[in-house]
Amino acid sequence: MIYKRSSELFAAAKEVIPGGVNSPVRAFNAVGGEPLFIKEAKGAYMYDEDGNKYIDYINSWGPLILGHAFDPVVNAVIEKAKKGTSFGTPTEIETTIAELAVSMVPNIDKIRFVNSGTEACMSAVRLARGFKNREKIIKFAGCYHGHSDSFLIQAGSGAVTFGTPNSPGVTQGTAKDTLLATYNDLESVEDLLKANQGEIACIILEPIAGNMGCIPPKEGFLEGLRKLCDEYDVLLIFDEVMTGFRLARGGAQELTGVDADIVCFGKVIGGGLPVGAFAARTEIMDYLAPTGPVYQAGTLSGNPLAMAAGLAMLTELNDNPEIYTSLAQKTEYLHKGIAEVLIKNNVTHTINRRGSMISVHFAEEAVVDFTSAAKGNNDTFKKFFHGLLENGIYIAPSAFETWFLTDALSYEDLDATIAAVDKVSKEL
Ligand SMILES: *Cc1c(COP(=O)(O)O)cnc(C)c1O
């Protein structure tokens, strides 16, 4: 494939944008080479500035569960925009989408909208700290909760890719209040709870992890966390920015039957526009300003265009829950197909999958936490990534990312993907 125009655009971008990108992992640093500049996309396909076509598994990093430029979302945004793009006042559509979200997700009474997943997680933790009047939090190595200071302690996703999990600029004061546990290891959590009794406000995690590749919780892990939180009087926060409305209408809570105290959303809830949200039972949510003392605000929060996109997306998912079954079946088909050709071509691998999230790890042992995810062979991943790209398959440019399937993918697309994996894996 020819990437001439992408290359020129990247050179120009680097002159005026740090690294040429507005979010680091887009720069291809982990895999080498230069990023593609995308011109347009529709359904399951993206087209770059040189006219190359790709089957897309990045999915804008998760939001586009119904495919690119999904007509009901696009039309809702256009119609709304004609009537004004922002007022800084309450609008009816904010209540409409809040009612719908609360009806779809178990165990929440109220929801507040923000502009990104980062904001949602950051605000949820502030609320937990205020509500419990305690300062420390527990997070898990390899879980990513956005780029706010408290979370940049062994975070997943781009932070891992760049090998700078502890970013300069995060103060010691902030870092000391974030305690680190091991994913899928209840003992590591209980040790921290015991050693810091009465000081921990909350435990935050990705209930199905997706930012160290896809790592589902082991049997009993989430149930065990719920029990520990009750025992030690600590709030449990599910960061469902990735899993919310993607794995089921009610997200991981519905899928696993485990209740969280606060739930964070992003990605799918905005239909591809910049939206985040956090939600909980009334007692907790009313602790937020203006009813309560914990401050949180946003000039563009609940923005009409973003709400219109989110409402169109959630409505479609709520009305057609069979999408989740069909997505899980497609993902299973892809899993089997890829596993078959990797085995045939003698490539050591482990594949993790849950719902429409899947990741291929070039690792020998089961990938169950950050340490085992980091054992994957990155040189093999780089070759795999570039080989797939050359064959028109676009996966995330990092071994620590999940592939997302969209409803727009056909079985022909999946077969084409498996055929490309077959071709590429012969040369690994
Ligand atoms: C993407 C993501 C975030 C951050 O969301 P942004 O919109 O990028 O700020 C937080 N948590 C999880 C689990 C995510 O996948």
Side-chain angles (χ1 to χ4, degrees):
M1 284 199 196
I2 292 169
Y3 307 114
K4 182 167 177 292
R5 200 168 145 68
S6 275
S7 186
E8 287 164 4
L9 289 170
F10 188 47
K14 280 192 286 192
E15 294 297 318
V16 284
I17 301 171
V21 292
N22 282 312
S23 193
V25 78
R26 292 179 197 168
F28 276 29
N29 283 20
V31 290
E34 294 187 334
L36 304 177
F37 276 59
I38 298 301
K39 189 171 188 182
E40 56 187 299
K42 183 75 186 169
Y45 311 120
M46 291 212 296
Y47 304 85
D48 71 15
E49 290 281 354
D50 289 283
N52 302 309
K53 178 183 177 183
Y54 306 90
I55 299 175
D56 177 28
Y57 289 96
I58 299 191
N59 215 240
S60 184
W61 306 88
L64 307 173
I65 190 167
L66 302 175
H68 289 278
F70 182 66
D71 287 330
V73 170
V74 172
N75 293 335
V77 172
I78 291 171
E79 286 314 307
K80 259 295 180 230
K82 288 179 187 163
K83 295 176 179 159
T85 56
S86 181
F87 311 116
T89 69
T91 54
E92 185 177 0
I93 193 171
E94 292 164 83
T95 308
T96 313
I97 186 174
E99 284 170 350
L100 180 57
V102 165
S103 76
M104 289 170 79
V105 177
N107 204 39
I108 60 170
D109 301 321
K110 292 188 179 179
I111 184 165
R112 174 153 294 170
F113 285 91
V114 293
N115 306 289
S116 69
T118 295
E119 253 191 271
C121 295
M122 169 188 104
S123 308
V125 163
R126 184 185 304 141
L127 177 58
R129 282 174 162 152
F131 187 77
K132 283 288 178 198
N133 192 22
R134 296 180 199 153
E135 300 197 347
K136 289 189 174 17
I137 66 169
I138 294 177
K139 83 173 276 289
F140 293 85
C143 278
Y144 182 69
H145 306 294
H147 65 91
S148 95
D149 287 2
S150 299
F151 302 127
L152 282 185
I153 323 289
Q154 290 204 19
S157 193
V160 180
T161 306
F162 285 84
T164 50
N166 304 292
S167 168
V170 175
T171 66
Q172 291 297 322
T174 299
K176 77 169 173 31
D177 287 330
T178 300
L179 309 177
L180 272 178
T182 304
Y183 201 79
N184 273 326
D185 179 355
L186 284 173
E187 230 177 84
S188 74
V189 179
E190 184 150 28
D191 288 349
L192 291 174
L193 288 168
K194 269 194 193 134
N196 298 274
Q197 291 231 23
E199 291 186 80
I200 294 172
C202 62
I203 297 176
I204 183 167
L205 85 161
E206 297 176 59
I208 284 104
N211 285 292
M212 38 186 170
C214 174
I215 301 187
K218 282 185 182 164
E219 191 77 40
F221 178 58
L222 296 179
E223 291 80 357
L225 283 181
R226 178 69 268 174
K227 238 179 103 203
L228 284 174
C229 283
D230 293 341
E231 220 173 293
Y232 287 84
D233 183 32
V234 163
L235 295 182
L236 182 59
I237 304 181
F238 276 4
D239 175 357
E240 296 222 46
V241 170
M242 188 181 280
T243 53
F245 306 102
R246 171 166 282 279
L247 295 183
R249 277 190 293 191
Q253 287 192 110
E254 178 185 321
L255 203 67
T256 64
V258 177
D259 286 343
D261 296 300
I262 305 179
V263 189
C264 304
F265 299 103
K267 301 194 169 111
V268 175
I269 201 173
L273 269 74
V275 182
F278 57 108
R281 57 183 183 268
T282 299
E283 176 200 13
I284 297 175
M285 289 309 279
D286 279 352
Y287 216 72
L288 275 178
T291 32
V294 172
Y295 194 69
Q296 187 280 323
T299 301
L300 292 175
S301 292
N303 170 268
L305 304 193
M307 296 297 97
L311 181 61
M313 177 68 102
L314 296 196
T315 302
E316 195 73 20
L317 295 171
N318 192 44
D319 293 348
N320 303 285
E322 69 279 2
I323 284 172
Y324 293 109
T325 319
S326 122
L327 269 171
Q329 283 164 352
K330 284 179 185 171
T331 313
E332 186 182 359
Y333 182 86
L334 186 67
H335 180 163
K336 282 190 177 148
I338 291 179
E340 225 165 77
V341 298
L342 288 179
I343 289 166
K344 189 184 77 180
N345 295 318
N346 291 314
V347 180
T348 302
H349 70 279
T350 295
I351 299 177
N352 284 352
R353 160 172 68 90
R354 195 76 193 257
S356 54
M357 294 163 57
I358 181 169
S359 58
V360 179
H361 303 259
F362 296 105
E364 218 151 316
E365 292 156 37
V367 172
V368 296
D369 57 17
F370 180 57
T371 309
S372 45
K375 281 187 187 152
N377 185 330
N378 207 40
D379 287 333
T380 305
F381 179 81
K382 283 183 199 178
K383 285 186 213 151
F384 183 69
F385 169 81
H386 282 292
L388 287 184
L389 200 61
E390 232 357 78
N391 284 281
I393 310 293
Y394 192 54
I395 65 167
S398 157
F400 291 101
E401 306 290 348
T402 297
W403 310 18
F404 299 103
L405 272 73
T406 121
D407 190 53
L409 281 163
S410 66
Y411 278 89
E412 288 72 39
D413 296 326
L414 300 177
D415 285 336
T417 307
I418 295 162
V421 170
D422 186 19
K423 189 172 161 202
V424 169
S425 58
K426 285 192 170 78
E427 284 144 32
L428 288 178

